[in-house]
Amino acid sequence: MLNKDYLLDCKILHEIRGRIRIKSRALKYLGIHKEEITKQLMQVHYIQSVEISSITGTILVYFDNFSLTGENLISLLQNTLNTYLVDIYKNEKKQISNKYVIERRLQEESPQEIIKNIGAAVLLLLLPNPKIKLTGIRRLFNYKTLSTVSLALPVLKNGIYSLIQNKRPNADTLSSTAIVSSIILGSERTALTIMILEKFAELLTVYTMKKTRGVIKDMLSVGENYVWKQSDDGNTAKKVPIEEISKGDFILVQTGEKISVDGTIEKGEAIIDQSAITGEYMPVTKKAGEEVFAGTLLKSGNITVKAEKVGDDRTASRIIKLVEDAAFNKADIQSYADTFSAQLIPLNFLLAGIVYVSTKNLQKALSMLVIDYSCGIRLSTATAFSASINTAAKNGILIKGSNYLEELSKSDTVIFDKTGTITEGKPKIQTLKTFGKNMKDNRMLALAAAAEETSSHPLASAILNEIKNRGLKIPKHKESVIKVARGIETFVNKDIIRVGSLKYMEENDISLEVASDIVKGMQNRGEIVIYVAKNNDLIGVIGVSDPPRENIKKAMNRLRNQGIDDIVLLTGDLRQQAETIASRMSMDRYESELMPEDKAKDILKFRSIGSKVIMIGDGINDAPALSYANVGIALGSSRTDIAMEAADVTITSDDPLLIPGVIGLAKNTVKIIKQNFAMAIGINSFALVLGATGLLPAIYSSILHNSITILVVGNSLRLLKYDVNK
C-alpha cells in the first residue's frame, strides 16, 4: 500500500477474524453506484455483509473465509471500484469545485471603468476639504465623504456579501473596514489613498486578463459549417447550415468532404478516413447500411447519409465553451492563496483590537486594518496565471484555466496518442524493391503512379508525392479502374498495371514468392506493403509508413529533462505499428488497438496510483482520455474540434517542442507565485510591526502595503515576456 492518499488507495483501519474495516477516498464519491457496488461485493461467495459509509469513506466487510488476508480484500475492493472509476472521478471533481471564497470577479470589470474610478479618486484627493466644519453625524454628509463612499460601493457591497454568504471575511471586507474607519475618523485622504493604490493594482490585473481574452479570441476564429441536404422528393439538393439539419434528414457527401452528422449510409459506397475516430490512418470502405460518424473524411466515392445524431449530440460537436468558469478552473495554489489570505484577515481585526485596547489610539489600530496580506497575494497570483495564459496564446497555445498551468508544473507522466500526434498522419514511402532484370526503382514507381494518378487514397498520395519529389513523369495510361478495398489497375501501352494488396495479387494469379522475405522485413518495421504487377509478373513492392513528426524525439528528450519519469504510447492502431513507434521513440511502454473508453480507463488507472498525467492527442478517439488526464493537450493543425473542446490545452501548430515549452512556462509561473508569497508576507509582516508600534501612520501604512501589492503584481507581469521556445 502507498502512503499517499490517492484515489484508489486503501488503508486497513481495523481487522479481526472475519471482519475488516477499510478506508479509501474513492468511497466518498460513489454517488448513485453505492448500492450497485454493495450488491456486487455481496455476490462474492465468502462475503457475508457489506456496509459502505460515503461520509467517512470507509467500508465494513464481514466474511467467512479465514484464510484471506487484508491484501486480498483490498485487491477485491480496488478491482470492483475500478469499474466505476470514471464516475468516481467526476463526482470528486464536482465536489472539489465548490469550495472557494467569494471574491469580486475582476474579469467582469473593464480597464476603462477602473481608470475612471482612479481619476475620480485622484480628483477628490486634490480637492480641498469643505470650508464649513461640520460636527457629529452631519460631518459624514459633505460632498467629499459622500463621493468617497460612492466610489467605494463595489468594495463595500462585496465585503458585506462575503460575511453574509460565506460566513467569513474576504479581502474586500478588510478594505471596507479600513475605508469606513478612515472616514469615521475624518481622514478621507487615507480612504482615498487606499482606494487609488488598490485600484491601480487591480488595473494591472484586469488589463492582463482583458489582453489575454483578446489574444484567445483571435486564436479561435471558427467558420460556419454547411452541408448538402436532399429534398423530400430526392431529386434536388440544397446547401444549408449544419444547424438546420434535423434527425431523419438525408445528407449528400462527396469526395473530399467531411461527414457532418452521425448516421447510416442509405445509398452509395465510399472509402472513408476514420483516423479522427479510431486513430488508424488507413481508410475503410463503407457501404449502404453501415454507420458513419461526424468528423470523418470521405476520401473517394459519393454517399447519401441519413442523419441520426445532429447538433450537440454529434460525436464531433463544435467548440461551445473553451475558457470555462474561473472558479472551476482555479489552480490549487490560487485557491490556497485565496484561502490562506482569507484566514489571515481575522488576524488583522484581532491585531487592531489589541493595539486599540493597549494604546487607545484609533490611528494605530487603523494601521492594522490598512495592511493585509490578501490583496497582494490574491492579485499577484491572478495576474501571474493570466499573464502566462496570455504568453501561451501569443505562441499558439490555448490554456483553458489556471489550474492546468499548476497541473502541468507538477506532471510526471506523459501519454501520447500515435496517429497525428507522434506521427504526421500522412503516409510516406519508406522502402522500394524491384524484381526483374531491367526494372529500375523509378520505372516501377512511375508505373504505379500511372494507376494511382486519379485516386485520393492516402497510399496513392504517398506514391504521387514520391513521384513529385523525384521529378519523375507519369507515363500515359488509360482510365484507372478501382477494385474496392483491394487495389487499382490501368493500361500503359498494351500492358496492364495492377497496384494493390496481397489479396488482389492472389486473385489475379500473380506469384509473390520472390518478395516473401523482403515483405516480412517491411512488416516487421511496421510498414504497409503495396504490390505492383505488370501483366502477370510482380515488378516491385512499396513499403509505406506514417513517419514521426519532426522534433518529436527532441521534445521527448526535453520532457525527460523537465522531470517526466514515464512516457507512454496509447493508440487504437495495430500492435506492430505501435511497437515500432514506441521502440524508435525510446518510450517506456505502449498499448495498442484501444477503443476511446479503454484509453480513458488507462488514464484513470495512472491517476489512481498518484501519477500526474498529461495526455496528448488530436482526434475524437482521444477526447475521453484528454478529459480524464490531469491535463489534456490537443496538438497540431489537424486536430478535431471535439479534441480541442475536450482538451485543457490546445497547441494550434504542429511543433511538438511547444509541449516542453508550455511545461517550462508553467513551472516558471509557479516559481514566480512563490516569490510573490514570500515578498507579500515578509514585507507586510514588517509593516504590521511598524504600524503596531506607532512608527508608521495609517496613511503611510496604506502606501507601503499597496506599493508591495503593485510590486508583486509587477513581478507577475514579467511572465508576459517569457520565451516559450527557449
Side-chain angles (χ1 to χ4, degrees), residues 106 205 208-209 334 337-338 376-388 402 673 716:
L106 292 177
T205 302
T208 309
M209 288 178 174
Q334 193 171 359
D338 290 348
I377 291 173
R378 183 171 61 90
L379 290 179
S380 65
T381 304
T383 304
F385 282 122
S386 188
S388 292
S402 57
I673 288 169
S716 296

Side-chain angles (χ1 to χ4, degrees), residues 31 107 121-122 126 139 183 198 214 262 279 283 301 355 399 415 425 511 523 530 598 702 708 713:
Q107 63 267 37
V122 169
L126 296 175
R139 187 180 56 76
I183 291 171
E198 282 190 359
D262 289 359
V355 169
I399 302 172
I415 295 175
S511 175
Q523 290 172 335
I530 303 170
D598 298 327
S702 171
I708 296 308
V713 169

Side-chain angles (χ1 to χ4, degrees), residues 321-541:
K321 196 175 182 186
L322 289 163
V323 183
E324 298 172 287
D325 191 327
F328 188 78
N329 288 320
K330 193 174 283 189
D332 286 344
I333 195 167
Q334 193 171 359
S335 302
Y336 174 74
D338 290 348
T339 306
F340 174 75
S341 56
Q343 287 170 347
L344 287 174
I345 289 170
L347 176 65
N348 289 84
F349 286 107
L350 179 63
L351 286 172
I354 292 171
V355 169
Y356 180 71
V357 169
S358 58
T359 66
K360 303 300 181 186
N361 188 320
L362 278 173
Q363 283 291 341
K364 289 182 180 179
L366 184 58
S367 295
M368 300 298 97
L369 296 176
V370 166
I371 299 168
D372 76 278
Y373 299 95
S374 61
C375 205
I377 291 173
R378 183 171 61 90
L379 290 179
S380 65
T381 304
T383 304
F385 282 122
S386 188
S388 292
I389 292 170
N390 181 293
T391 297
K394 285 189 292 188
N395 287 275
I397 306 167
L398 173 67
I399 302 172
K400 293 186 185 176
S402 57
N403 56 326
Y404 304 121
L405 275 165
E406 186 181 17
E407 291 290 351
L408 282 169
S409 74
K410 297 188 292 186
S411 58
D412 56 26
T413 301
V414 175
I415 295 175
F416 283 90
D417 173 50
K418 182 177 98 54
T419 306
T421 305
I422 291 179
T423 64
E424 296 176 358
K426 299 172 184 176
K428 290 183 179 178
I429 290 177
Q430 304 297 325
T431 306
L432 284 174
K433 181 64 180 176
T434 57
F435 307 103
K437 290 182 181 179
N438 299 318
M439 186 56 62
K440 303 295 182 184
D441 285 357
N442 284 355
R443 178 60 181 167
M444 183 269 288
L445 195 62
L447 290 172
E452 299 281 14
E453 187 173 18
T454 57
S455 173
S456 58
H457 195 284
L459 296 182
S461 299
I463 292 171
L464 296 172
N465 282 335
E466 187 69 17
I467 285 285
K468 292 174 186 175
N469 292 341
R470 295 188 179 211
L472 301 178
K473 185 178 180 181
I474 299 175
K476 291 182 179 180
H477 58 91
K478 293 185 179 179
E479 187 177 348
S480 297
V481 178
I482 297 173
K483 305 295 181 180
V484 177
R486 300 194 303 284
I488 193 166
E489 63 183 47
T490 191
F491 277 91
V492 175
N493 298 322
K494 293 182 180 181
D495 298 316
I496 184 169
I497 306 299
R498 295 185 177 93
V499 181
S501 65
L502 172 70
K503 182 179 179 181
Y504 184 40
M505 296 296 126
E506 290 175 344
E507 286 175 354
N508 289 280
D509 298 322
I510 295 168
S511 175
L512 305 176
E513 188 176 348
V514 67
S516 58
D517 291 339
I518 293 165
V519 167
K520 283 180 183 176
M522 292 162 69
Q523 290 172 335
N524 288 337
R525 293 192 296 272
E527 296 175 14
I528 294 171
V529 181
I530 303 170
Y531 296 88
V532 184
K534 179 180 176 182
N535 299 322
N536 294 319
D537 299 318
L538 184 71
I539 61 170
V541 288

